[in-house]
Amino acid sequence: MRFDVLTLFPEMFDVLNSSIIGRAIQSEKIKLNVVNFREFSTDKQKHVDDTPYGGGAGMVIKPEPIYDAYKSIVAKLDYKPKVIYMSPRGKVFNQQMAIELSKENHLIILCGHYEGVDERLIEEIVDEEISIGDYVLTGGEMPAMILIDAVSRNIDGVLSEGSTSEESFSNGLLEYPQYTRPEEFMGRKVPEVLLSGHHANIEKWRHEKALEITKKRRPDLLENK
Ligand code: 4GS
């Protein structure tokens, strides 16, 4: 799968070269191309923003540099990739959306920073607006990285076999508690059933715990079940 990111802060995406996503890039399970759309500004000082029509505080990102950066990507293609704009007014991101997006072959992700983007650019190129949650950040870069991470781990070969099948949300529940050695830590013992080797009982215990934790912390997840 290929991701192109349109941003004014391409260096922020260097963190994706670590750990699991870094390995997925190395092994070419995913391709990440980060484009600084400032390079597509045609004015001498490379400005990409201007004051808002109608007045008010802050600046608005001009449509043309983003459009030209977008065109530089899609001009070489014989298909149209899905374009996502990270924004608090988008649909709130969840695991279901991450799984659906992992079936795409190419995504272009637009990040705003400080300020908004001219609405006409959004109308012209954006297919979907996505929010990572109901809070305001300084830029769309971290939301884009969260989306790339959550989508990528559902792509075949990015994680080891089976590791997404039992985790939080895969069955609509939060994760059951996990334990490793030692058998006793600060007077707290590992639950007996986990040492029993009885796989059916272990599975039953884990399911009960997952249900109990979900009921207590996120009853909203159980509503449509
Ligand atoms: C989000 C969010 C966000 C909004 C970007 C103010 C800078 C900022 N983007 N999910 N302008 N929450 N964006 O807060 O996606």
Side-chain angles (χ1 to χ4, degrees), residues 138-204:
T138 56
E141 284 76 14
M142 286 194 274
M145 288 188 256
I146 284 167
L147 184 133
I148 292 166
D149 187 288
V151 169
S152 295
R153 62 194 294 294
N154 293 295
I155 294 167
D156 267 354
V158 171
L159 297 185
S160 60
E161 209 60 49
S163 36
T164 60
S165 58
E166 287 210 2
E167 67 191 0
S168 280
F169 304 118
S170 65
N171 55 3
L173 301 178
L174 300 179
E175 255 166 304
Y176 52 77
Q178 299 270 26
Y179 301 86
T180 187
R181 274 172 284 277
E183 263 187 52
E184 187 175 327
F185 171 70
M186 305 294 269
R188 297 167 193 271
K189 292 198 167 81
V190 173
E192 202 64 49
V193 61
L194 299 179
L195 310 175
S196 70
H198 192 303
H199 294 296
N201 284 355
I202 291 171
E203 212 178 304
K204 183 166 170 283

Side-chain angles (χ1 to χ4, degrees), residues 85-93 110-117 129-144:
Y85 176 47
M86 305 311 300
S87 148
R89 71 183 191 184
K91 182 170 177 212
V92 179
F93 192 52
L110 171 62
C111 310
H113 209 97
Y114 322 117
E115 52 232 318
V117 171
E129 289 190 48
I130 295 179
S131 166
I132 62 157
D134 293 337
Y135 36 79
V136 183
L137 301 164
T138 56
E141 284 76 14
M142 286 194 274

Side-chain angles (χ1 to χ4, degrees), residues 4 9 17 21 32 78 87 103 123 126 144 163 177 183 197 213 218 221:
D4 288 275
F9 297 90
N17 292 317
I21 303 303
L32 176 61
D78 59 4
S87 148
K103 297 169 187 165
E123 290 169 5
V126 171
S163 36
E183 263 187 52
I213 291 170
R218 293 292 307 277
L221 295 177

